[in-house]
Amino acid sequence: MSPVETLLRVRYAETDQMGIVYYANYLVWMEVGRIEYCRAAGVSYRDMEEHDGILLVVSEASCRYLSPARYDEQVIVRTWIAEAHPRMMRFAYEMFETSARRRLASGETKHVFCGRDHKPVKLPEKYRAAFGMNKS
């Protein structure tokens, strides 16, 4: 599936005393992008958790900060799947300020599929195509 772009506006509460977006908020933006990617792929996080007992547990997260975002700027979070297997998936992200298309940050999150008991499991077949996985 092609990357999914999600538009956000920097809220005042997301900035620090210097008027710059606090670094941890980029991880929140990546989560927003990931959920919108799943939605665009036809997968509901809620349904996976509630109906199938599948949790996407974050096992790694990284973010490289390139340029500061500021209050009231519009930001695009571009999200795609960098790697996917029945037991794990890695999402990649790029964040841009919209007016000048200034690159703000890039990052990745790695997720292990787990059951309600928080032990690793294979992703059910019915979700694999949405995440670009071959049947196996």
Side-chain angles (χ1 to χ4, degrees):
M1 187 168 120
S2 298
V4 171
E5 293 189 350
T6 306
L7 183 64
L8 307 168
R9 184 174 294 275
V10 177
R11 297 172 299 181
Y12 187 79
E14 294 173 316
T15 63
D16 60 18
Q17 190 174 10
M18 297 176 287
I20 293 172
V21 172
Y22 181 69
Y23 73 93
N25 286 306
Y26 291 86
L27 295 173
V28 173
W29 295 351
M30 290 190 289
E31 178 184 1
V32 171
R34 181 171 63 252
I35 290 168
E36 291 305 319
Y37 182 95
C38 291
R39 188 172 284 131
V43 175
S44 164
Y45 253 48
R46 177 186 280 177
D47 289 348
M48 261 191 352
E49 291 178 354
E50 289 181 5
H51 301 302
D52 298 300
I54 301 296
L55 309 172
L56 274 73
V57 176
V58 177
S59 63
E60 294 177 20
S62 66
C63 188
R64 179 160 174 84
Y65 305 97
L66 304 166
S67 182
R70 293 182 170 80
Y71 169 67
D72 207 36
E73 289 182 329
Q74 285 191 312
V75 174
I76 291 174
V77 180
R78 187 170 181 257
T79 307
W80 66 97
I81 294 176
E83 181 181 7
H85 303 287
R87 293 198 179 268
M88 65 75 66
M89 181 162 51
R90 186 181 310 273
F91 285 92
Y93 314 87
E94 288 181 320
M95 287 151 271
F96 298 90
E97 181 274 327
T98 60
S99 66
R101 198 78 175 164
R102 177 172 44 94
R103 194 165 178 224
L104 302 170
S106 62
E108 287 191 345
T109 55
K110 179 181 175 183
H111 304 262
V112 176
F113 301 111
C114 290
R116 287 187 177 103
D117 60 0
H118 296 250
K119 293 184 180 174
V121 297
K122 284 189 177 181
L123 183 67
E125 292 282 345
K126 71 181 189 178
Y127 294 111
R128 293 184 190 180
F131 294 130
M133 295 179 211
N134 295 329
K135 290 189 175 199
S136 58

